[in-house]
Amino acid sequence: KDTHISAYICLLVGENDEYLPWPFKGEINIEILNWLEDGESTHHKMTISFKDEGAENSGKRITNGENPGWGYPKFLSHEELQEKYYLDDRDMLSIRIQSVIH
């Protein structure tokens, strides 16, 4: 507890849901950007796949509210967050999220 940043994706009801294929079987890339951008430092990236075992309920079409969500309780440790320059001088994180549908 209090050692990591968690990352979860939760699907919500949307106005175009009737046009989308269900259940959602895509992937979501979550990337914490290294603000140094020096070419040597890397971003911290993980992919949340709705095809993984245990994600069955998380990709179902939502008709009311939201789904249970799916992700990583230990996405990035606080220690790594400080050591690898993921925080800028204002203690701000930059996060990039990309949806990939196969």
Side-chain angles (χ1 to χ4, degrees):
K1 184 179 177 182
D2 298 330
T3 61
H4 289 76
I5 292 174
S6 300
Y8 290 90
I9 296 297
C10 184
L11 301 179
L12 304 172
V13 174
E15 61 185 52
N16 296 311
D17 285 355
E18 63 187 85
Y19 306 110
L20 299 173
W22 295 98
F24 178 72
K25 297 251 185 220
E27 298 175 343
I28 307 291
N29 295 324
I30 301 176
E31 194 170 10
I32 297 182
L33 307 178
N34 183 308
W35 63 272
L36 287 181
E37 296 289 345
D38 60 5
E40 297 176 20
S41 303
T42 58
H43 303 314
H44 184 79
K45 180 178 179 180
M46 293 185 96
T47 298
I48 296 175
S49 176
F50 284 83
K51 298 176 190 175
D52 291 345
E53 185 177 326
E56 301 85 16
N57 292 327
S58 298
K60 290 182 180 177
R61 182 175 178 178
I62 307 306
T63 56
N64 188 15
E66 61 188 45
N67 70 4
W70 187 244
Y72 298 99
K74 292 186 175 183
F75 181 71
L76 180 68
S77 73
H78 292 174
E79 183 177 315
E80 190 174 1
L81 183 68
Q82 295 292 332
E83 289 175 357
K84 298 200 176 175
Y85 301 100
Y86 293 119
L87 290 172
D88 69 6
D89 56 353
R90 297 165 293 174
D91 288 337
M92 184 171 65
L93 276 176
S94 294
I95 300 173
R96 179 174 23 219
I97 299 175
Q98 177 186 28
S99 174
V100 179
I101 301 175
H102 302 285

